[in-house]
């Protein structure tokens, strides 16, 4: 895998935009992941068994579209640990998942393990919804920097403690309607400046230059426009030494990003402010829109098109090119009554190649070794790996 850069928007993930990968590091990650995978099952048998005749039930909260993938990922863990059952609780979407997690915490009925949207990590830490797992990592000597993508680990850390571990990630590229580009003799843009010019040239004859949901929910600006913000060197906020967030909306980088998005608006459908992600996807698939933000999940969700759809890297901004890698993390519930069993499940899911591949669902795994096996060694994933 060439490079995957994380747009860090919460806690210490605001601090830097570092790339993972590289020859030596990649080989070390593959070797470490293989070692962890081979030893996980026997280790789990020895450390996570419940007292004789007593079963421990672990509840893991996830979202509906990934629930089947999570069930497949945890099945081998339950086979290896007959004293533990894992109940997968599926919320309708990630907004409902947040509501469930917070309500359960307030009712002193915390989930044992939960998926956490990376943009919510800081508030979950500060609210006690999730707890630190650093003591377990240190005790078991797990070197996650050698197993998972190092740049994504920072998203779940705060104050020198690890609270959550990356479970999957989402990478964006640019989908183009090549038929429209060829018809109007427009070059595919490599920079944001070129993208604006292309969008203007292609907003003609009832066509639009670009489509993306802008305000579907509170996450849309981060996920759908975040790649353009980061490519201009902008950040939503920074975390000070006192642990408090300071907004950075008045920086030159933020103003440059906002100017870009404002200049792009005239070349987008008028309902872009209210459309959902599915609306935007269908609008692009209809054939009269030239460019669209395309995530790896679109490989399964994009309707068939009757035009030539090609994928390109995100156009560069003043700070370069960044394909935002957000995704979800695994964390231990702040009030779990079974912290040891919850940790063993988390460790299994985040150190075992097979589990990580299954758990990724429609997103991408965060373990380098997964990309040597099906389905992630398929050529269709190459553009995302190049991002």
């Amino acid at each position: 895998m060439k490079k995957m850069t994380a747009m860090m928007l919460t806690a210490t993930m605001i601090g830097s935009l570092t790339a993972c990968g590289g020859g030596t590091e990649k080989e070390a990650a593959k070797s470490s992941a293989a070692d962890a995978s081979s030893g996980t099952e026997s280790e789990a048998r020895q450390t996570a068994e419940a007292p004789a005749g007593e079963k421990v039930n672990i509840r893991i909260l996830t979202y509906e579209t990934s629930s089947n993938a999570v069930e497949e990922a945890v099945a081998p863990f339950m086979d290896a640990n007959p004293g533990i059952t894992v109940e997968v609780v599926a919320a309708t979407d990630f907004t409902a998942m947040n509501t469930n997690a917070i309500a359960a915490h307030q009712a002193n009925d915390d989930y044992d393990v939960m998926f956490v949207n990376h943009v919510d990590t800081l508030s979950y830490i500060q609210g006690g919804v999730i707890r630190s797992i650093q003591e377990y990592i240190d005790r078991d000597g797990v070197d996650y920097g050698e197993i998972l993508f190092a740049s994504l680990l920072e998203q779940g850390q705060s104050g020198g403690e690890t609270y959550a571990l990356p479970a999957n990630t989402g990478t964006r590229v640019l989908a183009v309607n090549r038929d429209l580009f060829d018809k109007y003799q427009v070059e595919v843009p490599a920079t944001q400046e070129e993208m604006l010019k292309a969008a203007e040239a292609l907003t003609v004859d009832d066509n639009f230059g670009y489509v993306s949901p802008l305000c579907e929910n509170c996450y849309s600006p981060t996920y759908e426009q975040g790649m353009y913000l980061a490519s201009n060197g902008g950040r939503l906020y920074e975390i000070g030494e006192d642990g408090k967030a300071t907004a950075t909306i008045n920086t030159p980088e933020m103003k440059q990003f906002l100017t870009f998005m404002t200049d792009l608006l005239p070349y987008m459908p008028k309902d872009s402010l209210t459309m959902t992600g599915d609306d935007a996807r269908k609008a692009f698939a209809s054939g009269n829109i030239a460019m669209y933000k395309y995530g790896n999940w679109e490989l399964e969700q994009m309707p068939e098109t009757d035009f030539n759809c090609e994928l390109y890297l995100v156009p560069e901004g003043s700070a370069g090119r960044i394909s935002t890698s957000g995704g979800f993390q695994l964390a231990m519930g702040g009030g779990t009554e079974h912290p040891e069993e919850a940790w063993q499940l988390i460790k299994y899911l985040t150190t075992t190649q097979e589990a990580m591949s299954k758990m990724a669902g429609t997103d991408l795994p965060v373990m380098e070794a997964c990309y040597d096996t099906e389905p992630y060694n398929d050529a269709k994933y190459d553009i995302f790996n190049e991002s």
Side-chain angles (χ1 to χ4, degrees), residues 301-366:
Q301 298 179 4
M302 177 66 70
E304 288 190 17
T305 64
D306 57 5
F307 58 86
N308 184 17
C309 175
E310 295 182 353
L311 302 181
Y312 294 85
L313 297 178
V314 173
E316 292 184 4
S318 60
R321 176 188 294 112
I322 293 176
S323 296
T324 54
S325 298
F328 290 86
Q329 301 170 307
L330 276 180
M332 185 186 298
T336 176
E337 296 181 355
H338 309 291
E340 180 62 37
E341 291 82 3
W343 160 244
Q344 292 301 332
L345 176 59
I346 291 172
K347 183 172 72 168
Y348 171 77
L349 293 174
T350 55
T351 61
T352 309
Q353 179 180 335
E354 181 183 6
M356 177 62 69
S357 292
K358 290 180 178 178
M359 186 172 57
T362 58
D363 282 304
L364 297 173
V366 294

Side-chain angles (χ1 to χ4, degrees), residues 105-151:
H105 180 66
Q106 292 175 338
N108 294 319
D109 187 30
D110 292 76
Y111 291 93
D112 301 288
V113 179
M114 65 184 75
F115 277 69
V116 180
N117 195 328
H118 81 287
V119 297
D120 295 317
T121 306
L122 180 60
S123 60
Y124 272 37
I125 292 171
Q126 294 179 336
V129 180
I130 59 178
R131 56 165 289 180
S132 172
I133 56 174
Q134 191 65 52
E135 62 180 293
Y136 297 100
I137 295 173
D138 294 341
R139 183 198 70 187
D140 291 357
V142 183
D143 187 354
Y144 278 109
E146 294 294 329
I147 300 174
L148 306 180
F149 294 142
S151 62

Side-chain angles (χ1 to χ4, degrees), residues 73-283:
V74 302
F77 176 82
M78 286 193 289
D79 290 341
N81 295 276
I84 302 176
T85 60
V86 180
E87 177 187 356
V88 178
V89 181
T92 53
D93 55 33
F94 51 77
T95 301
M97 185 175 67
N98 285 349
T99 301
N100 289 3
I102 295 170
H105 180 66
Q106 292 175 338
N108 294 319
D109 187 30
D110 292 76
Y111 291 93
D112 301 288
V113 179
M114 65 184 75
F115 277 69
V116 180
N117 195 328
H118 81 287
V119 297
D120 295 317
T121 306
L122 180 60
S123 60
Y124 272 37
I125 292 171
Q126 294 179 336
V129 180
I130 59 178
R131 56 165 289 180
S132 172
I133 56 174
Q134 191 65 52
E135 62 180 293
Y136 297 100
I137 295 173
D138 294 341
R139 183 198 70 187
D140 291 357
V142 183
D143 187 354
Y144 278 109
E146 294 294 329
I147 300 174
L148 306 180
F149 294 142
S151 62
L152 298 180
L153 288 173
E154 297 180 18
Q155 298 181 17
Q157 298 172 346
S158 180
E161 297 277 318
T162 298
Y163 288 82
L165 293 164
N168 55 38
T169 190
T171 302
R172 279 99 173 136
V173 294
L174 187 72
V176 305
N177 181 331
R178 191 60 200 237
D179 292 357
L180 287 180
F181 274 82
D182 290 345
K183 178 180 179 180
Y184 294 99
Q185 298 182 326
V186 177
E187 294 291 328
V188 175
T191 67
Q192 289 180 12
E193 183 179 357
E194 292 175 359
M195 183 176 171
L196 285 173
K197 293 179 180 178
E200 179 181 12
L202 293 164
T203 302
V204 63
D205 300 332
D206 296 324
N207 299 314
F208 291 95
Y210 183 71
V211 66
S212 175
L214 298 176
C215 303
E216 177 182 0
N217 52 49
C218 62
Y219 298 105
S220 288
T222 299
Y223 279 118
E224 310 306 334
Q225 282 71 245
M227 55 191 174
Y228 303 120
L229 170 63
S231 294
N232 282 313
R235 301 170 180 175
L236 295 180
Y237 58 85
E238 294 182 344
I239 304 299
E241 293 182 0
D242 58 359
K244 295 183 179 180
T246 302
T248 56
I249 60 175
N250 60 342
T251 62
E253 294 82 5
M254 178 64 77
K255 293 176 182 177
Q256 187 175 26
F257 157 70
L258 292 174
T259 298
F260 169 74
M261 291 306 304
T262 301
D263 290 345
L264 193 58
L265 282 175
Y267 315 124
M268 300 175 65
K270 305 306 178 186
D271 58 347
S272 292
L273 289 172
T274 58
M275 64 171 49
T276 67
D278 194 48
D279 293 334
R281 184 181 305 113
K282 291 177 179 177

